[in-house]
Amino acid sequence: MIATSKEIKERYPQIQIMTTARFADLGANDELAETVDAWCPDIEVYENLLEEGVVAAARHRGKEVWWYTALAPRHPYPNWLIEYPAIEARLLMGVMAWKYQPDGFLYHFLTRLAEGNDKPIDDGPLCQWNPHSCGCFSGDGRVHYFGVDGPVSTIRLENITDGLKDYECFWVLRDLVDKLERSPLRNTQEGTVALQAARAVLRSRCQR
């Protein structure tokens, strides 16, 4: 990894290098720190590193810290797998993304094919499409399917989209709080009540 990342940096310094390799210090005392621009642990590891202050330290060094899911982690952590409650995809992309503040979300594949899926879906709602991914899990790397007339959405993808909208609502609320704090209305009873309520919601965000 060290040799490869150095070679890439030397040839293409403008390209950002990210790794999902697990390093307990996110490269604080490693040669990779010179070449890796962004670290991407899974959401379970990210949470632990955030609590230990490792994430904040990495960002202080100018590094980005993302998070990701794949077949792991498993419950009680959320995931996009078909066997998991669909609401988890929405929570992960919305409320949890706001609370834990990753710099980005990495997902390895959106249209991964499973064995036997050699034609578009042309039946349903109980179709012949094989949702199998790996082991006893389904849906990994696949959040929409191939239909006769183009991509077919999934319940999980709809929840992912709703989660992104939820996240945007936090940004809108934060901007409105900033405007209200600069407005004469902040000195009114209604303004005070509104600010208190909005700040309580925004405080759910973890410190970076």
Side-chain angles (χ1 to χ4, degrees):
M1 287 180 62
I2 293 173
T4 300
S5 59
K6 283 185 175 180
E7 182 73 14
I8 294 173
K9 270 300 181 191
E10 290 175 1
R11 294 191 181 197
Y12 310 103
Q14 74 278 15
I15 293 180
Q16 184 185 54
I17 295 178
M18 174 189 288
T19 181
T20 58
R22 291 193 177 191
F23 286 81
D25 59 0
L26 296 181
N29 301 299
D30 193 278
E31 289 186 73
L32 279 173
E34 301 176 7
T35 55
V36 172
D37 304 296
W39 298 87
C40 190
D42 69 43
I43 61 175
E44 179 181 6
V45 175
Y46 178 98
E47 181 188 31
N48 294 332
L49 296 179
L50 185 69
E51 293 177 353
E52 296 167 2
V54 177
V55 171
R59 288 178 174 142
H60 183 73
R61 298 193 303 272
K63 309 297 182 180
E64 293 183 7
V65 186
W66 294 35
W67 66 8
Y68 78 93
T69 63
L71 289 173
R74 301 179 182 178
H75 273 163
Y77 292 91
N79 210 314
W80 289 4
L81 301 171
I82 292 175
E83 291 84 2
Y84 284 27
I87 190 64
E88 293 188 5
R90 180 171 184 170
L91 294 173
L92 180 58
M93 302 307 294
V95 174
M96 291 185 66
W98 177 261
K99 178 177 181 179
Y100 292 100
Q101 288 295 300
D103 291 309
F105 178 81
L106 173 68
Y107 198 65
H108 66 290
F109 219 108
L110 297 178
T111 55
R112 179 181 178 185
L113 289 174
E115 183 178 352
N117 295 331
D118 55 359
K119 66 176 183 177
I121 295 176
D122 57 5
D123 58 346
L126 298 178
C127 65
Q128 299 300 313
W129 190 272
N130 177 16
H132 178 73
S133 296
C134 181
C136 58
F137 294 98
S138 300
D140 181 56
R142 189 184 309 113
V143 295
H144 58 74
Y145 303 122
F146 297 101
V148 175
D149 299 318
V152 177
S153 184
T154 63
I155 294 174
R156 290 171 296 132
L157 182 57
E158 298 302 315
N159 275 272
I160 290 167
T161 302
D162 287 341
L164 293 171
K165 294 177 181 177
D166 294 340
Y167 187 84
E168 180 66 19
C169 286
F170 283 106
W171 278 80
V172 171
L173 179 61
R174 187 184 65 178
D175 291 343
L176 290 174
V177 166
D178 291 341
K179 291 180 180 179
L180 183 55
E181 288 179 337
R182 297 191 301 267
S183 167
L185 292 175
R186 67 168 298 176
N187 299 318
T188 66
Q189 181 178 359
E190 293 83 358
T192 300
V193 172
L195 278 175
Q196 289 177 344
R199 287 168 178 160
V201 173
L202 295 176
R203 275 197 297 272
S204 62
R205 176 174 176 172
C206 289
Q207 295 296 320
R208 296 182 59 163

